[in-house]
Amino acid sequence: MDNISIGIWVTGVMLLLVVIGVRVAFAAAIAGFIGLVWIFSAKMGFEKGFLVAVKMAGTIPHSKVSTLALSLIPTFILIGFLAYHAGLTRALFEAAKRWVGWLPGGMGVATVFSTAGFAAVSGASVATSAVFARIAIPEMLKLGYDKRFAAGVVAAGGTLASLIPPSAILVIYAIIVEQDVGALLMAGFLPGAVSALIYGGLVVLLAVTRKDFGPPVTGFSWKERFESLPGSFPIFFVVAIIVICIYGGVGTPTEAGSLGALMILIIALYKGMRMHALKESLLETAKLTVMIFTIIWGVLLYVRFLGFADLPSAFSDWITGLDQSPMITFLMILCAYAVLGMFMDAIGMLLLTLPVVYPAVMALNGGDAVTAADSAFGVSAVGCSIWFGIIVVKMAELCLITPPIGLNCFVVAGVRPECSVQDVFRGCTPFFVADVITIAVLIMLPGIVLWLPGLMGFT
Amino acid sequence: MSSSSTVLEDGSRLSWADRTLFRFETVLTLLGGIVILLLVFLASVNVLGRWLFDLPINGYVDWVEQAMAFFAFLGIAYTQRMGGHIRMDMLVGHLKGRLLWLSEFISVLLMLGVTLVLIYGSYLHFYRAFQIGDSSLDIDLPTWPAKLVVPVALSILALRLMLQIWGYLRAVKQGDDEPIAVPLIEDAATVAAKEAEAVMGSLTEEEAK
Amino acid sequence: ATEWNVSTWGKRRAFTENLEKLAELVAQKTNGDFKLNISYGGLSKAKENLDGISIGAFEMAQTCAFYHSKKNPTITVAELPFSRDVTLTRMTEIYMELFKHPLVVKDLARWNATLLMPTPMPQYNIVSKSDALNQLADFSGLRVRGPGGIMGVLSKLGAVSTGVPFTEVRQSMDSGVIDAASFAPHAHLATNSYKVGKWATTNLNLGTANCPVIVNTDALNALSPEHKAALLGSVDEALAYYVNNYDNNTTGKYEAAIKESGLTQVTFTAEQTAELNTLAESVRAEWVKENSGDFDAQAVLDFTKAQFAK
Ligand code: NA
Ligand code: NA
């Protein structure tokens, strides 16, 4: 059997293992190991092939994990776990309410913008939704907003956390495709802001067109507005640190993340966080870090096997050989992601698919050295790898609010017993439409993604 | 996708073994968390020192690269105990009773297999570095301690997996609905509630309402 | 048919043309019966290529001596500063002689590895984004990424060795994790270091990195006589092609890029060069002292030095 057939078989085994409920990291590691044994045995006999595979596999966990750029991940996670203790969520929501609450559907708009603000200290969408489900939903219900809408806007707002830095998932994407982490983080800013604006516009539109939508909150004086700001200053600090460090060339992304985490930690301690809460935050951070790193090395073991089987290049040859326009193929890939995302977690989905899909997308665009002018998607090779990263992360986020497994919706329903999961999914429908519009905009206007990285010299 | 679940306890030997190992795993995970905190301090001092006083930490890159294996691996068994390694539970979520425990048993057995292979392979990787005195690029830190963390942490994971195999076998035999010492499958809403709780940590009364 | 997996890293560039040409020649000579499949990073991390060869996971790989000096101490001799700028053709000859030295052969045999051919590179020069360099004392506190020999000399002037990954060089320089990178022209081009830098040295003669192509000894011995002949018989031609390509297409391109980006060119005076050479002398002596416990380092140094003097 040739290597490519082995590659396809082993990939099938991996998907089977994932479907029957083996932990994703280990399903990938098992498949990768079986694949290595298979390939080496075919070449040098089973006994020797097995031993070579064991030795090869044994180098991967340590070597893949000790990648400098990955050190960013735990700092981003820590920021998220500490942000709540620093009192940022309530302060943000309060400020947003006073500043934009007067708009039609004002509480919804305030929720969108405060989740967007919280996204700047949180790397995880699910956590953001969980926090705001406690803060924003009760207030909206009190004012007579529709239950489904209130739940939907919180679930959808949470997804902004993965585009607006800090974002663990963008870091993981950058590592997998070997693109500059800083460039990807900067690239996330504008699309995140555009997403938030589209969400906000949608809420206003809904409020204007529907009867009994829920009242705006008015009557805040300018003094009250300005008084609400200091509480949310740490957010601006974190954003400033990240921008100054990465864009201004003061430090690496890891250093930016660390400075942010340190500052949030100091504020949390000042706000009275106890030893117990710190310990819990560290445990949770460590657990999530281990989860992410395990899936990274597990999947990279499988990717190493793919390297030997040469499956990615075979796949991209096939994709580029299709008799249709590259854009159609690209849109079909995105649809495949939408379907896959219904059933899978974002990080797992990206890690499992990117090693094969990413080279294919790059090839579709015209290869590793193509200029924007000669390319299929109007972006240079470097631009394509950044642009595709943002789009695919946005796709993965979209899946957090679609049935049957929309994690953000489950979280909101879990926190608010009065909302059923069905309610939340229903409430998310308009935001699903908004996300599709956002993705279309990002595909048509790659400049939104590439402008900031372009200023840094990534074009 | 699920990422955390409950483990039931009782007075049996299995449960005792589970709790004892769990205490040990918790300490290791907390150690991993502390290493993360140290990384945060180190990186902050490095960037501030460099920016303000032009005094970076010598060998910063080497230290970070050596530290990573610690926080990436020390908590691996704890995460398994807590059901924290993500998976797709679309299918297993619908199984009940013996069939469920049988499928969990198979899944954990497969994990144990690959873990044992990796323990041996990563031990060899460590041993090569140890034998030749392999060192980091700039300040010649020995690389073997970080490489040793991998087989050690994976060995603890192997212990955890053996315990779970014991637990699932018992459950298959007894046909329990709620066996001890193994993470129970929870519906998405419960998982979500816990996810939320983890972020919130210590809530004040008022906010919890 | 025989297929060999070949592990290198990064993208196809001047640095990898010896491998690419070798693969082309071998396929030609055997009518496609012996294939070298070159993988850019798919088979191993750059720093673990020697491990991969030792394990037998792939049959051929490119590696650099300074990535793991303790694993291949003998060939780090070629990274020492000999204060001589020799042509790439001459570099090739020196390496080929060194690779046949019994102590070197023995050193690599521990990894089940045989040195097949070198990847000769011009003397490394520095691109830096720090303030202008006016005197040697300005090296003090400069954070530089570079191989052992150069860093040995520069650290005597107070420079700090900082080993960021190859792919992160530009970003590290941008953010100040490193102030300078020491590379051969092709690598300055590949990392875009010159787009961030403010000045570049033009006549540093403190050595280059030694990045040989190695093969798994068992795999080499298992080749059929025709295949083996095709492989070994193609080395000289592959190297000649490599050198020609490097001299004519890469070095000039780099020099033009430096000019176009407006970097200040730092050219060391005769006195400064003399001072650097004195430091280089002591770095060579230290190398001998450091390695004498493991092998006859003095003999290897003398041998290499004689080659450079020719
Ligand atoms: Na974020
Ligand atoms: Na979904």
Side-chain angles (χ1 to χ4, degrees), chain A residues 119-120 122-123 160-162 164-167:
Chain A
S122 168
L160 296 172
S162 295
I164 299 175
S167 155

Side-chain angles (χ1 to χ4, degrees), chain C residues 240-253:
Chain C
Y241 175 84
Y242 168 97
V243 168
N244 183 44
N245 176 59
Y246 207 112
D247 283 342
N248 295 323
N249 300 330
T250 305
T251 307
K253 198 167 153 195

Side-chain angles (χ1 to χ4, degrees), chain A residues 364-377:
Chain A
L364 273 181
N365 185 48
D368 278 346
V370 74
T371 60
D374 298 335
S375 69
F377 305 140

Side-chain angles (χ1 to χ4, degrees), chain A residues 318-326 328-329:
Chain A
W318 175 72
I319 283 276
T320 47
L322 290 179
D323 196 17
Q324 59 194 27
S325 91
I328 298 287
T329 312

Side-chain angles (χ1 to χ4, degrees), chain A residues 338 341-344 398-407 425:
Chain A
M342 288 181 178
F343 308 101
M344 282 200 70
L398 178 64
C399 301
L400 292 174
I401 56 166
T402 56
I405 317 276
L407 211 51
F425 279 128

Side-chain angles (χ1 to χ4, degrees), chain A residues 42-134:
Chain A
K43 200 164 190 174
M44 45 190 110
F46 179 75
E47 218 163 297
K48 183 154 183 247
F50 185 82
L51 194 64
V52 169
V54 170
K55 287 178 176 171
M56 174 96 271
T59 63
I60 290 172
H62 174 269
S63 102
K64 286 302 171 182
V65 151
S66 317
T67 302
L68 189 64
L70 281 175
S71 61
L72 178 56
I73 287 178
T75 69
F76 277 7
I77 295 173
L78 187 62
I79 294 184
F81 278 113
L82 293 175
Y84 177 79
H85 296 285
L88 288 175
T89 41
R90 187 157 287 284
L92 256 180
F93 186 62
E94 198 54 43
K97 205 166 75 185
R98 293 183 192 185
W99 283 85
V100 297
W102 54 271
L103 286 163
M107 288 296 282
V109 182
T111 304
V112 167
F113 286 116
S114 50
T115 49
F118 192 67
V121 284
S122 168
S125 298
V126 177
T128 308
S129 287
V131 170
F132 278 89
R134 302 223 173 188

